Amino acid sequence: EVQFVESGGGMVQPGGSLRLSCAVSGLSFGVYEMSWVRQAPGKGPEWVSGINPTGSHAYYKDGMKGRFTISRDNAQNTVYLQMNSLKPEDTAAYYCAAATTAGARTKESDYDYWGQGTQVTVFS
């Protein structure tokens, strides 16, 4: 059984930081491109960042590089998203997702696997 366990979400003030984790089991983690996708209330899903299977290349939506950093630990089957300088507009449910090919996809159906999400709320 494939399981994605996301954690690290919470409530933070603007300018604060959070580190999201997504621990994966039940699949060959090291062959998958991993991504983070977020969905704010009342809005469509938005691709945030992706990282290739070896962790040697990371990709970001325009405007997020510099504030967000994606990384992975293939020995721990875990992908991370370090989020700094958070803004109210970063408020969303954040999902990690796996695909066998690279791409800035937004829909759950475009991925092989999709996590349950973790909520991030940035409030004044």
Side-chain angles (χ1 to χ4, degrees), residues 54-73:
T54 64
S56 62
H57 290 89
Y59 314 92
Y60 300 92
K61 181 177 174 67
D62 287 346
M64 293 183 181
K65 188 175 184 179
R67 292 197 303 125
F68 291 5
T69 303
I70 190 171
S71 61
R72 66 190 294 162
D73 183 343

Side-chain angles (χ1 to χ4, degrees), residues 14-69:
S17 298
L18 287 172
R19 188 192 195 204
L20 307 183
S21 299
C22 176
V24 179
S25 60
L27 55 75
S28 297
F29 182 76
V31 304
Y32 284 90
E33 173 101 359
M34 297 301 297
S35 295
W36 288 94
V37 179
R38 71 184 184 184
Q39 186 162 15
K43 297 186 178 180
E46 177 183 38
W47 176 82
V48 173
S49 180
I51 189 166
N52 72 334
T54 64
S56 62
H57 290 89
Y59 314 92
Y60 300 92
K61 181 177 174 67
D62 287 346
M64 293 183 181
K65 188 175 184 179
R67 292 197 303 125
F68 291 5
T69 303

Side-chain angles (χ1 to χ4, degrees), residues 1 49-50 60 66 68 71 75-76 79-80 83 114:
E1 179 186 5
S49 180
Y60 300 92
F68 291 5
S71 61
Q76 299 294 324
V79 61
Y80 304 95
M83 304 186 296
W114 182 276

